[in-house]
């Protein structure tokens, strides 16, 4: 209570101003592939492609970097999108039967990251329309829209409906041209008697305008009837009496032919020319994958080429029994026939071809297929129809993303080597043809630095993405599966492969696309990644306790990977690991392509999933932790330095491993289902006959009420033996003061799930402040790294330790390894006292070093009721003053909001709502960059990029040249965000950006920890709560001090400090 | 605990380091055969050569708390807790200082320093008791709960403080979502609220009698829970569980403290530092019904972790009969100690008399006479 009375309110106007210049929250870009796409469209004039999603988002893509996003007010599935070619407008049809008109509008010039941007275009909804009909009963309503056709003039929209009527909508005024409406009765009247047979024609399945004669449209009804309708004269020009249920129609370019596809897996070619008004028979008809029953051909395209016979492209049509479950698209031209075999459902596809009326041929150049999980582009001009790499819309989730890691300002040297390694990989499979969609212009300045996003995947691969700009482009990919023997050893593949692609196989399948949700071995999954960008060392750690150290090599190499096993249980008795086995390492030399090549493999025993990893390339050390303990390994000398068990004696869950826990979950689910069923049955079948049974019933009802009692939560402090207390949550290396205030040296810090922090002093040969010689260790033994337990801190509240970070004398985080020694960052301040920032789920705390006494803290959970999930230190630069920046602690909570704290004062600065609190995977996937940006998964396939910095923003800034006048829209300052994930930003310190640059007279940054200035910034917290941590000091400094301490200890009855 | 058990298993030696005034003595005895309390008492007298001095014994337990040794139970507990060093502090009975100990917060912050052991002459009162039991004074026990801020809260509300720290007893309550009815100028309004859904038998919450089923939780450690989700409130309570202050609107409004409207400024939970003043108010028999400190313990001295945490907050007397079994204590310590006055709680009038009891001896006396039987019966088990 009194916390609140005593806390100084942050009303300092000067500080508020600085905050506004430093912090601003924006969701900027969505990287990756839209989740659950449901519609596709292409504007051949502007060269733009639009994708609609089931969440009601519309995303428009052009050349790489050109992206526009719009979100419908209702999160209803987008079922169709149609561009108004060349106008920068598009129409969307939603599942709720509404039609929306969108426009690319020029935005008012505005400040972005301190720079004025003009001509930037955004996507905005301008109008919406819904067909009048009986509202409410949409599903059976006759006015439910099935197809849309935009007439070439772009003024009239033809709407086909479920009831078989075709309506005409004037787009300019958004009203129906009632006189033009074509109801089914009119068509039926002119049908021959024998065709009519009293049945309805069914919904309108397809509307296609005559390619040469405007005003003539082809109307296809579900039952199979196709009508060529002249809109202006309102007359049926021709009837085509199809007998098969119709799926789609397509015109041939000349307008002399059209093709219909049917639900039986066949297609028919019809001739339009000729005076016969009633066309009974198609010119030709075929069921390509017959004769056995086939699935429907959902969509068919017929494209003419100059060189030879037309190209036929259709989706579906596979033999129902044998390949009914495949997602296929067939390309046929002459004798060439390829069945593209995709791993996910085909949503829609289109070809990029000549659209100019003058041109005689279609000449398709590329085929774009939108699948449920990826976008596949096929080059139709290169023989063999190879696929093109996509520069954006990359399927991040080709194998499920299990972890991610962001590297900012990648050195150019490493960048180049990675690009080369990536090119070598791609060269094998892709053509070098240009990306066919190139509309719009990217106005964003070229990135000032290269950024990498590394994603670890379930199948054991690590993918490197270029995250410097708006388009997340794949750079390079490594697999770790080849370090191990797995069930499907790649060595078996060469023998199998030729068989797989036999010429005689029918249909001629060709695997396309990279989405592959099936992992051969879940143990291969990557859990943690750490990359040293200066020494090009990469550490990846996985589900089966494997930790792999990789080095970058430009040549391919054939070598054996060194294997070490580290037992983390040490001598703990009575534990048996019931989880999965460790992976079998491959002991024979294996070929490794250029790029990152595995050098050392460390396997933890028991092989539990690695929960934390740290790399210090300068000391050649890696640290890794699992649910059982942590280890330290010298990968240069290939020896394990340390293994420490963190298990609590009562912790049995940790030993079971993931598999047996799944079992128990299943069991408990089964039990609870049984319980539900039982209570239901007993509740309903009870006969009500006698008064006694009434009592029984009342009792039963009461019992049932108890069953459905509201959720309750137990209020109990965390105890030491809560399950999984030994899980190592974070590890960190630091060169700091652990032994005493004068000698600094390498240290290793580890934090566990139960609020324990272990600090080890390391003896690294050739590093440190020369304590090695003092100890008289020389010769052979000095060549080994040694670890001595220095401190053990038990946080009183026992909450899991989320992060540990050592701050230097100026309260800045220590630089990365090599950064200081290679003059890439300013050297840390070793002259004044260091401190360590320990963030637990409940509290943030700064302790002084080496004495580990609490300096400042912020009890987030006690105040806000939220728990810390992710923590990072970031540098925020001021928009107003070029050289002013602050180190800030960014903290994501389980409520999905971002809290920013200054360090070391830990005073709350700003809070932003960022992620929905229900989006647990989004919160779990969040990574921060060094400059105040971040990424989180909004869906399995998409990263949302956000920025907390007022200065550093990566967002789409692009323009499109359109045929119409671009109206300037005012008042739009925020880009809308798709996927329905946007939250209101509350408590935001976003002020008017046009404030004049202020003078920052008192930079709080560089004041030493102990100065009065920083003290003034501390929170006064005088609760009665006991927050002293139990600090055990293991480092005996010297004999004299030791004695002194002993005496003190005895006098003080200090049970907390043990000296050994 | 494991270390302790380890030593026990080793059947080792208890090293004793005893301090009387400025003098230290070191000696050892076998853990298996420590003898009785009286033996130990005379042993210490011999060692320190203070045969003619009436002394009070205290020891430092695992967590650095000073706990009294004045009967067999806590003596055995003290022996158990030695690992292997047992630190004994001897004070003269006459030395009894001010009746209230230091601000516990300060004590904490000092780290592991022991505050002076406080027991007083009342020991003799106890020894005159029928059964001759040695019962410590309230301040020798750990306070487990209190009602605070009575004067600043509406009568319909109650602010309860639960002291979890050090006890092995679970807090023992559950909360749930619910609908609360608020009377607003616009009329009756239903708003979501958080309620106590269950009290675990034998838990701290139940034993205090201050929290009841379906009590609505309004604040947690001074922070309004309106608009917070059940999970948030849970997290806040867990984060504050060492010193949990919940403001509730009791479902049963009959036991409310009657507001006396005394002008005394009452130390809310903030007034940790008001040690002296509270003490004096006690001594002078302040009429404030709420500003008394009646720190009573459900003492778990036998658990060996009894941690003198007597806050100078206003609190009402809460003691609860509680029988805890400590299997690791092998029958030595199943004696738990506590006397119950749940009836007192249920009966508002008794509570008021307690509040009016102005001076310590009277209060003690009333409590003792009221509960003598219970006490004797509980203690009889040792």
């Amino acid at each position: 209570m009194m916390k609140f009375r005593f806390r100084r309110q942050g009303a300092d106007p000067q500080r508020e101003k600085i905050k506004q210049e430093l912090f601003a929250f924006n969701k900027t870009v969505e990287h990756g592939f839209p989740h659950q796409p449901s519609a596709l469209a292409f504007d051949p004039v502007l060269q733009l492609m639009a994708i609609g999603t089931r969440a009601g988002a519309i995303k428009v893509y052009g050349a790489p970097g050109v992206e526009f996003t719009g979100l419908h007010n209702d999160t209803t599935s987008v079922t169709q999108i149609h561009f108004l070619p060349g106008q920068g407008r598009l129409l969307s049809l939603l599942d709720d039967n509404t039609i929306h008109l969108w426009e690319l509008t020029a935005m008012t010039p505005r400040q972005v990251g301190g720079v004025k941007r003009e001509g930037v275009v955004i996507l905005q909804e301008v109008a919406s329309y819904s067909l009048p009909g009986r509202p409410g009963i949409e599903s059976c309503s006759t006015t439910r829209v099935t197809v849309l056709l935009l007439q070439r003039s772009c003024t009239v929209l033809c709407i086909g409906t479920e009831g078989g009527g075709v309506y005409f909508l004037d787009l300019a005024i958004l009203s129906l041209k009632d006189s033009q409406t074509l109801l089914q009765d009119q068509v039926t009247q002119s049908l021959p008697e024998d065709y009519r047979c009293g049945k309805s024609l069914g919904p309108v399945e397809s509307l296609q305008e005559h390619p040469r004669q405007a005003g003539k449209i082809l109307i296809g009804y579900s039952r199979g009837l196709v009508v060529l309708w002249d809109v202006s004269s309102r007359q049926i020009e021709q009837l085509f009496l199809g007998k098969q249920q119709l799926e789609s129609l397509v015109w041939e370019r000349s307008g002399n032919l059209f093709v219909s596809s049917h639900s039986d897996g066949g297609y028919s070619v019809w001739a339009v020319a000729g005076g016969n008004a009633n066309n009974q028979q198609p010119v030709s008809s075929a069921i390509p994958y017959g004769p056995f029953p086939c699935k429907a051909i959902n969509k068919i395209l017929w494209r003419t080429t100059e060189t030879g016979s037309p190209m036929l492209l259709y989706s579906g049509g596979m033999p129902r029994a044998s390949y009914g479950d495949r997602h296929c698209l067939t390309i046929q031209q002459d004798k060439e026939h390829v069945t593209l075999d995709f791993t996910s459902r085909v949503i829609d596809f289109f070809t990029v071809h000549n659209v100019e009326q003058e041109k005689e041929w279609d000449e398709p150049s590329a085929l774009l297929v939108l699948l449920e999980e990826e976008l596949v582009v096929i080059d139709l001009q290169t023989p063999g129809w190879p696929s093109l790499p996509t520069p954006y819309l990359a399927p991040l989730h080709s194998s499920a993303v299990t972890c991610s890691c962001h590297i900012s300002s990648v050195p150019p040297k490493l960048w180049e080597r990675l690009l080369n390694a990536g090119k070598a990989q791609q060269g094998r499979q892709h053509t070098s043809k240009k990306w066919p969609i190139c509309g719009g212009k990217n106005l964003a300045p070229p990135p000032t630095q290269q950024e990498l996003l590394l994603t670890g995947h379930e199948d054991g691969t690590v993918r490197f993405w270029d995250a410097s700009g708006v388009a997340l482009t794949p750079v390079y990919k490594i697999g770790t599966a080849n370090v191990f023997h797995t069930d499907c050893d790649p060595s078996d593949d060469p023998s199998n492969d030729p068989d797989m692609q036999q010429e005689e196989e029918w249909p001629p399948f060709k695997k396309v696309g990279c989405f592959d949700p099936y992992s051969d071995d879940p143990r291969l999954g990557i859990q943690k990644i750490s990359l040293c960008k200066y020494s090009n060392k990469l550490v990846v750690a996985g589900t089966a306790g494997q930790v792999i150290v990789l080095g970058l090599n430009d040549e391919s190499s054939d070598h054996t990977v060194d294997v070490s096993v580290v037992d983390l249980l040490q001598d703990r008795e009575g534990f048996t690991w019931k989880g999965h086995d460790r992976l079998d390492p491959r002991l024979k030399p294996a070929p490794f392509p250029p790029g990152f090549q595995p050098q050392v493999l460390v396997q933890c025993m028991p092989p539990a999933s690695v929960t934390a990893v740290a790399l210090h390339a300068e000391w050649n050390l890696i640290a890794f932790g699992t649910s059982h303990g942590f280890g330290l390994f010298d990968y240069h000398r290939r020896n394990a330095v340390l293994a420490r068990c963190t298990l609590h004696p009562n912790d049995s869950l940790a030993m079971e491993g993931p598999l047996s826990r799944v079992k128990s979950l299943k069991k408990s689910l089964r039990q609870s289902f049984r319980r539900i069923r039982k209570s239901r049955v007993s509740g309903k079948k009870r006969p009500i006959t006698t008064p006694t049974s009434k009592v029984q019933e009342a009792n039963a009802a009461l019992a049932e009420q108890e069953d459905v009692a509201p959720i309750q939560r137990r209020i109990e402090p965390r105890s030491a033996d809560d399950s999984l207390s030994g899980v190592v949550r974070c590890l960190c290396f630091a060169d700091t003061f652990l032994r005493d205030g004068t000698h600094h040296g390498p240290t290793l810090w580890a934090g566990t799930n139960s609020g324990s922090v272990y600090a080890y002093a390391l003896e690294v040969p050739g590093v440190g402040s020369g304590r090695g010689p003092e100890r008289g260790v020389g010769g052979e033994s000095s060549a080994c790294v040694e670890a001595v337990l220095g401190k053990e801190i038990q946080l009183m509240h026992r909450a899991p330790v989320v992060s540990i970070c050592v701050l230097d004398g100026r309260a800045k985080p220590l630089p990365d390894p090599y950064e200081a020694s290679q003059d890439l960052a300013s050297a840390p301040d070793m002259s004044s006292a260091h401190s360590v920032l320990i963030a637990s789920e409940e509290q943030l705390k700064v302790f002084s070093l080496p004495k580990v006494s609490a300096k400042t803290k912020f009890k987030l959970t006690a105040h806000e009721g939220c728990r810390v999930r992710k923590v990072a230190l970031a540098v925020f630069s001021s928009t107003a003053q070029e050289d002013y920046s602050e180190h800030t602690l960014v903290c994501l909570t389980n409520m999905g909001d971002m809290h920013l704290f200054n360090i070391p004062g830990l005073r709350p600065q700003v809070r932003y709502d960022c992620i929905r609190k229900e989006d647990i995977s989004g919160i779990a996937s969040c990574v921060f960059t060094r400059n105040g940006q971040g990424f989180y998964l909004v869906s399995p396939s998409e990263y949302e990029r956000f920025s907390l910095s007022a200065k550093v923003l990566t967002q789409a800034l692009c323009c499109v040249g359109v045929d119409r006048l671009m109206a300037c829209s005012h008042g739009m300052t925020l880009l809308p965000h798709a996927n329905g994930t946007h939250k209101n930003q509350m408590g935001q310190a976003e002020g008017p950006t046009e404030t004049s640059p202020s003078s920052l007279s008192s930079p709080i940054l560089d004041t030493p920890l102990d100065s009065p200035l920083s003290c003034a910034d501390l929170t006064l917290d005088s609760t009665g709560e006991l927050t002293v941590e139990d600090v055990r000091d293991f480092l005996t400094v010297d004999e004299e001090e030791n004695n002194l301490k002993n005496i003190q200890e005895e006098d003080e009855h200090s049970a907390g400090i043990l000296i050994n | 605990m494991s270390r302790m058990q380890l030593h026990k298993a080793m059947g080792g030696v208890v090293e004793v380091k005893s301090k009387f005034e400025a003098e230290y003595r070191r000696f050892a005895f076998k853990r298996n055969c420590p003898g009785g309390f009286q033996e130990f008492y005379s042993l210490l007298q011999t060692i320190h050569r203070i045969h003619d001095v009436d002394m009070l014994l205290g020891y430092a337990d695992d967590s650095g708390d000073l706990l009294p040794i004045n009967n067999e139970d806590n003596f055995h507990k003290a022996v158990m807790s030695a690992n292997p060093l047992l630190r004994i502090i001897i004070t003269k009975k006459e030395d009894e200082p001010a009746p209230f100990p230091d601000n516990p917060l300060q004590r904490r912050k000092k780290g592991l320093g022991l505050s002076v052991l406080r027991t007083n002459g009342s020991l003799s009162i106890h020894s005159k008791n029928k059964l001759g039991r040695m019962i410590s004074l309230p301040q020798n026990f750990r306070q487990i709960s209190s009602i605070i801020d009575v004067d600043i809260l509406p009568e319909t509300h109650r602010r309860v403080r639960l002291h979890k720290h050090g006890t092995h007893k679970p807090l023992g309550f559950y909360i749930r979502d619910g609908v609360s009815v608020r009377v607003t100028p616009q009329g009756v309004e239903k708003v979501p609220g958080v309620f106590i859904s269950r009290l675990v038998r034998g838990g701290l919450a139940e034993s205090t009698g201050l929290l009841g089923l379906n009590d609505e939780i309004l604040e947690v450690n001074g922070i309004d829970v309106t608009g917070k989700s059940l999970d948030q409130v849970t997290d806040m309570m867990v984060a504050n569980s060492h010193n949990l202050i919940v403001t509730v609107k009791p479902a049963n409004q009959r036991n409310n403290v009657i507001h006396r409207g005394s002008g005394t400024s009452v130390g809310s939970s903030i007034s940790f530092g008001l040690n002296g003043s509270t003490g004096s108010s006690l001594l002078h028999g302040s009429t404030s019904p709420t500003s008394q400190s009646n720190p009573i313990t459900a003492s778990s001295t036998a658990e060996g972790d009894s941690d003198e945490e007597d806050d100078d907050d206003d609190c009402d007397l809460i003691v609860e009969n509680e029988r805890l079994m400590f299997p690791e204590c092998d029958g030595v310590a199943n004696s738990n100690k506590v006397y119950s006055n749940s009836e007192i709680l249920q009966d508002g009038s008794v509570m008021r008399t307690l509040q009016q009891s102005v001076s310590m001896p009277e209060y003690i006396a009333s409590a003792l006479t009221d509960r003598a039987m219970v006490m004797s019966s509980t203690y009889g088990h040792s």
Side-chain angles (χ1 to χ4, degrees), chain B residues 60-72:
Chain B
D61 80 340
D62 273 341
S63 49
D65 293 318
L66 182 67
L67 301 171
I69 302 180
N70 48 20
N71 59 29
E72 298 290 334

PDB file of all heavy atoms in Angstrom, chain B residues 60-72:
ATOM      1  N   ALA B  60      19.112 -19.775  17.689  1.00  0.00           N
ATOM      2  CA  ALA B  60      18.940 -19.282  16.326  1.00  0.00           C
ATOM      3  C   ALA B  60      18.615 -20.467  15.432  1.00  0.00           C
ATOM      4  O   ALA B  60      19.350 -21.448  15.422  1.00  0.00           O
ATOM      5  CB  ALA B  60      20.222 -18.610  15.857  1.00  0.00           C
ATOM      6  N   ASP B  61      17.541 -20.372  14.751  1.00  0.00           N
ATOM      7  CA  ASP B  61      17.150 -21.506  13.909  1.00  0.00           C
ATOM      8  C   ASP B  61      17.732 -21.343  12.513  1.00  0.00           C
ATOM      9  O   ASP B  61      18.527 -20.435  12.248  1.00  0.00           O
ATOM     10  CB  ASP B  61      15.632 -21.652  13.879  1.00  0.00           C
ATOM     11  CG  ASP B  61      14.986 -20.682  12.935  1.00  0.00           C
ATOM     12  OD1 ASP B  61      15.638 -19.671  12.595  1.00  0.00           O
ATOM     13  OD2 ASP B  61      13.840 -20.919  12.534  1.00  0.00           O
ATOM     14  N   ASP B  62      17.338 -22.246  11.653  1.00  0.00           N
ATOM     15  CA  ASP B  62      17.869 -22.294  10.291  1.00  0.00           C
ATOM     16  C   ASP B  62      17.818 -20.949   9.585  1.00  0.00           C
ATOM     17  O   ASP B  62      18.744 -20.561   8.898  1.00  0.00           O
ATOM     18  CB  ASP B  62      17.034 -23.274   9.446  1.00  0.00           C
ATOM     19  CG  ASP B  62      17.573 -24.668   9.591  1.00  0.00           C
ATOM     20  OD1 ASP B  62      18.738 -24.789  10.020  1.00  0.00           O
ATOM     21  OD2 ASP B  62      16.835 -25.613   9.273  1.00  0.00           O
ATOM     22  N   SER B  63      16.691 -20.296   9.756  1.00  0.00           N
ATOM     23  CA  SER B  63      16.523 -19.074   8.988  1.00  0.00           C
ATOM     24  C   SER B  63      17.026 -17.855   9.736  1.00  0.00           C
ATOM     25  O   SER B  63      16.745 -16.735   9.364  1.00  0.00           O
ATOM     26  CB  SER B  63      15.047 -18.905   8.633  1.00  0.00           C
ATOM     27  OG  SER B  63      14.273 -19.088   9.793  1.00  0.00           O
ATOM     28  N   GLY B  64      17.781 -18.093  10.781  1.00  0.00           N
ATOM     29  CA  GLY B  64      18.373 -16.977  11.487  1.00  0.00           C
ATOM     30  C   GLY B  64      17.436 -16.302  12.462  1.00  0.00           C
ATOM     31  O   GLY B  64      17.727 -15.232  12.960  1.00  0.00           O
ATOM     32  N   ASP B  65      16.315 -16.932  12.738  1.00  0.00           N
ATOM     33  CA  ASP B  65      15.382 -16.330  13.677  1.00  0.00           C
ATOM     34  C   ASP B  65      15.709 -16.778  15.092  1.00  0.00           C
ATOM     35  O   ASP B  65      16.159 -17.908  15.301  1.00  0.00           O
ATOM     36  CB  ASP B  65      13.964 -16.746  13.340  1.00  0.00           C
ATOM     37  CG  ASP B  65      13.536 -16.164  12.018  1.00  0.00           C
ATOM     38  OD1 ASP B  65      13.834 -14.988  11.774  1.00  0.00           O
ATOM     39  OD2 ASP B  65      12.924 -16.901  11.229  1.00  0.00           O
ATOM     40  N   LEU B  66      15.463 -15.907  16.005  1.00  0.00           N
ATOM     41  CA  LEU B  66      15.705 -16.241  17.400  1.00  0.00           C
ATOM     42  C   LEU B  66      14.430 -16.804  17.985  1.00  0.00           C
ATOM     43  O   LEU B  66      13.386 -16.176  17.960  1.00  0.00           O
ATOM     44  CB  LEU B  66      16.131 -14.981  18.162  1.00  0.00           C
ATOM     45  CG  LEU B  66      16.463 -15.235  19.613  1.00  0.00           C
ATOM     46  CD1 LEU B  66      17.707 -16.081  19.733  1.00  0.00           C
ATOM     47  CD2 LEU B  66      16.650 -13.919  20.335  1.00  0.00           C
ATOM     48  N   LEU B  67      14.565 -18.000  18.526  1.00  0.00           N
ATOM     49  CA  LEU B  67      13.389 -18.648  19.077  1.00  0.00           C
ATOM     50  C   LEU B  67      13.670 -19.043  20.510  1.00  0.00           C
ATOM     51  O   LEU B  67      14.816 -19.322  20.871  1.00  0.00           O
ATOM     52  CB  LEU B  67      13.054 -19.885  18.256  1.00  0.00           C
ATOM     53  CG  LEU B  67      12.788 -19.618  16.777  1.00  0.00           C
ATOM     54  CD1 LEU B  67      12.675 -20.912  16.020  1.00  0.00           C
ATOM     55  CD2 LEU B  67      11.534 -18.785  16.627  1.00  0.00           C
ATOM     56  N   PRO B  68      12.660 -19.065  21.312  1.00  0.00           N
ATOM     57  CA  PRO B  68      12.881 -19.372  22.727  1.00  0.00           C
ATOM     58  C   PRO B  68      13.032 -20.873  22.980  1.00  0.00           C
ATOM     59  O   PRO B  68      12.491 -21.689  22.242  1.00  0.00           O
ATOM     60  CB  PRO B  68      11.610 -18.837  23.384  1.00  0.00           C
ATOM     61  CG  PRO B  68      10.571 -18.966  22.342  1.00  0.00           C
ATOM     62  CD  PRO B  68      11.259 -18.788  21.021  1.00  0.00           C
ATOM     63  N   ILE B  69      13.774 -21.172  24.022  1.00  0.00           N
ATOM     64  CA  ILE B  69      13.775 -22.542  24.544  1.00  0.00           C
ATOM     65  C   ILE B  69      13.257 -22.428  25.961  1.00  0.00           C
ATOM     66  O   ILE B  69      13.902 -21.821  26.819  1.00  0.00           O
ATOM     67  CB  ILE B  69      15.193 -23.147  24.557  1.00  0.00           C
ATOM     68  CG1 ILE B  69      15.783 -23.143  23.158  1.00  0.00           C
ATOM     69  CG2 ILE B  69      15.159 -24.556  25.127  1.00  0.00           C
ATOM     70  CD1 ILE B  69      17.170 -23.728  23.087  1.00  0.00           C
ATOM     71  N   ASN B  70      12.073 -22.946  26.170  1.00  0.00           N
ATOM     72  CA  ASN B  70      11.575 -22.895  27.534  1.00  0.00           C
ATOM     73  C   ASN B  70      10.760 -24.122  27.904  1.00  0.00           C
ATOM     74  O   ASN B  70      10.155 -24.184  28.941  1.00  0.00           O
ATOM     75  CB  ASN B  70      10.770 -21.618  27.771  1.00  0.00           C
ATOM     76  CG  ASN B  70       9.764 -21.400  26.667  1.00  0.00           C
ATOM     77  OD1 ASN B  70       9.411 -22.344  25.956  1.00  0.00           O
ATOM     78  ND2 ASN B  70       9.314 -20.176  26.513  1.00  0.00           N
ATOM     79  N   ASN B  71      10.731 -25.094  27.007  1.00  0.00           N
ATOM     80  CA  ASN B  71      10.106 -26.353  27.396  1.00  0.00           C
ATOM     81  C   ASN B  71      10.753 -27.477  26.610  1.00  0.00           C
ATOM     82  O   ASN B  71      11.656 -27.246  25.805  1.00  0.00           O
ATOM     83  CB  ASN B  71       8.596 -26.298  27.195  1.00  0.00           C
ATOM     84  CG  ASN B  71       8.219 -26.002  25.756  1.00  0.00           C
ATOM     85  OD1 ASN B  71       8.961 -26.349  24.830  1.00  0.00           O
ATOM     86  ND2 ASN B  71       7.097 -25.330  25.574  1.00  0.00           N
ATOM     87  N   GLU B  72      10.278 -28.670  26.842  1.00  0.00           N
ATOM     88  CA  GLU B  72      10.889 -29.834  26.200  1.00  0.00           C
ATOM     89  C   GLU B  72      10.768 -29.751  24.677  1.00  0.00           C
ATOM     90  O   GLU B  72      11.694 -30.056  23.954  1.00  0.00           O
ATOM     91  CB  GLU B  72      10.211 -31.132  26.674  1.00  0.00           C
ATOM     92  CG  GLU B  72      10.341 -31.402  28.158  1.00  0.00           C
ATOM     93  CD  GLU B  72      11.766 -31.756  28.570  1.00  0.00           C
ATOM     94  OE1 GLU B  72      12.506 -32.269  27.711  1.00  0.00           O
ATOM     95  OE2 GLU B  72      12.131 -31.486  29.718  1.00  0.00           O
TER      96      GLU B  72
END
